[in-house]
């Protein structure tokens, strides 16, 4: 990370590189710019939502080097050189990911605020643990809040996605 010349004081900007959904971006950010704001405002990836901005709701969840993180708690400069997956990067070649399809099939798609984060937390879980128990699924999405409904269909969807992946579908 380099400080860009001719910038001083609070407006000083730093050149960073982010690899987002497989694409490399060289951008300039202030020291206090949050990752969620870079994704939404500079890269126009608005699938990542801002809810509480306090690390409580999980609506800003992205994968940072494969791990689910709250992008409202991470400075963009901390992500310099790292790989990020947002919900826009989950489907491949217009083909929904197994987890996304399972959410649809199990009526687990809820509002646009909580669903992207749930999908990414579920994907991270199934990558590190392809055969989770219901308890493990609930633990994995514990940081993703929905205050509107229960989590029954979401848990069903993640368990169904695990079975589908098992079949190699
Ligand atoms: S907006 Fe990041 S956790 Fe709520
Ligand atoms: S917060 Fe998304 S459906 Fe409740």
């Amino acid at each position: 990370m380099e400080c860009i010349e001719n910038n001083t004081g609070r407006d000083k900007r730093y050149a960073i590189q982010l690899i987002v959904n497989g694409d490399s971006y060289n951008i300039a950010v202030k020291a206090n710019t949050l990752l969620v704001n870079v994704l939404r405002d500079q890269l126009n990836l608005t699938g990542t939502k801002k809810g509480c901005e306090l690390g409580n709701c999980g609506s800003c969840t992205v994968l940072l080097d494969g791990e689910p993180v709250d992008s409202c708690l991470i400075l963009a400069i901390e992500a310099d050189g790292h790989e990020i997956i947002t919900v826009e990067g989950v489907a491949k070649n217009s083909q929904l990911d197994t987890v996304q399809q399972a959410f649809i099939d199990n009526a687990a798609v809820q509002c646009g605020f909580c669903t992207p984060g749930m999908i990414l937390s579920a994907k991270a879980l199934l990558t590190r643990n392809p055969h989770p128990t219901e308890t493990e699924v609930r633990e994995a999405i514990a940081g993703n809040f929905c205050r509107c409904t229960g989590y029954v269909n979401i848990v069903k969807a993640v368990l169904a996605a695990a079975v589908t992946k098992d079949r190699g579908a």
Side-chain angles (χ1 to χ4, degrees):
M1 177 186 49
E2 277 171 44
C3 179
I4 297 175
E5 283 181 34
N6 301 326
N7 277 296
T8 54
R10 292 169 61 186
D11 286 332
K12 191 185 285 186
R13 286 171 195 268
Y14 298 84
I16 64 169
Q17 182 199 32
L18 300 179
I19 300 129
V20 185
N21 302 331
D23 293 324
S24 177
Y25 297 89
N26 293 300
I27 51 176
V29 296
K30 292 184 188 176
N32 64 354
T33 302
L34 297 172
L35 179 58
V36 64
N37 290 334
V38 168
L39 294 173
R40 289 179 55 83
D41 302 337
Q42 290 183 247
L43 305 187
N44 205 26
L45 294 169
T46 53
T48 303
K49 296 296 186 285
K50 280 203 285 186
C52 65
E53 296 185 65
L54 293 169
N56 292 331
C57 73
S59 64
C60 64
T61 301
V62 298
L63 302 185
L64 181 68
D65 296 334
E67 289 298 320
V69 295
D70 292 328
S71 58
C72 72
L73 294 185
I74 294 185
L75 295 172
I77 56 175
E78 292 180 282
D80 183 24
H82 291 270
E83 295 204 21
I84 294 154
I85 302 289
T86 69
V87 72
E88 287 91 345
V90 174
K92 294 279 181 294
N93 304 322
S94 307
Q95 186 81 28
L96 289 180
D97 179 84
T98 307
V99 174
Q100 291 172 309
Q101 190 61 52
F103 268 60
I104 293 170
D105 295 344
N106 290 276
V109 177
Q110 304 191 113
C111 79
F113 266 81
C114 60
T115 300
M118 299 266 189
I119 298 270
L120 289 166
S121 292
K123 272 197 70 63
L125 168 68
L126 295 181
T127 299
R128 70 173 182 274
N129 177 2
H131 303 289
T133 62
E134 178 176 337
T135 302
E136 288 168 336
V137 171
R138 288 184 179 278
E139 282 170 2
I141 59 170
N144 297 95
F145 282 11
C146 168
R147 293 186 173 83
C148 312
T149 71
Y151 288 70
V152 174
N153 286 358
I154 295 167
V155 173
K156 257 172 50 186
V158 181
L159 292 171
V163 172
T164 306
K165 276 179 182 289
D166 235 15
R167 290 202 309 261

